[in-house]
Amino acid sequence: MELRSVEELMDLLYACRYEHALRTAALLRRARPADKELQVAGLVHGIGQLLCPGDPAGRAIHAAEAVRPLLGERVYDLVRHRGPAADDDLQRLQHAAEESRTVAFDAGVLEDWRTVLELVAARHSRLGAVD
């Protein structure tokens, strides 16, 4: 599955259990407020659970492949957990994902992230990667 619009991605995120994703993205926003791609990777990294529930080992790959056309190579690499994304960014994403399982705070609502997703998608589109 390839996501071609922010609306498709939002629908998928709403279908997932997204509280963990919201907390992960919020923690990344606090740590790196200017790094929208890292924050978005934290928000979407868990969609693989919905895309391939019977393949736990392949969830990261399926999630990364789904968002690649819309959000670009860096988000793809971060969600897939491989380089050339900086090792520090991967560690930060993994740490935020782990921390978000144990911390309890109001991370807002999913709709708060629509504009950030649109910004990242638009930036990627300007690079000529999306029709």
Side-chain angles (χ1 to χ4, degrees), residues 2 12 15 17 27 45 49 55 76 80 82 91 95-96 99 101 107-108 116 122 124 127:
E2 289 185 356
L12 187 59
R17 296 179 63 188
L27 289 168
H45 79 279
Q49 295 175 358
D55 183 14
Y76 167 82
R80 188 156 179 200
R82 70 175 188 95
Q91 289 175 355
H95 178 73
E99 186 179 352
R101 296 183 202 292
V116 178
H124 179 66
L127 295 175

Side-chain angles (χ1 to χ4, degrees), residues 57-79:
R59 288 179 181 168
I61 294 168
H62 289 287
E65 291 292 335
V67 300
R68 184 184 216 171
L70 182 64
L71 302 175
E73 291 300 313
R74 181 161 180 252
V75 174
Y76 167 82
D77 287 338
L78 288 166
V79 171

Side-chain angles (χ1 to χ4, degrees), residues 19-29 39 41-43 45 93 96-98 100-101 105 107:
E19 288 300 318
H20 168 69
L22 286 174
R23 287 191 303 269
T24 301
L27 289 168
L28 292 166
R29 179 182 277 171
Q39 296 164 25
L43 184 66
H45 79 279
L93 173 59
E98 290 171 18
S100 70
R101 296 183 202 292
F105 65 93

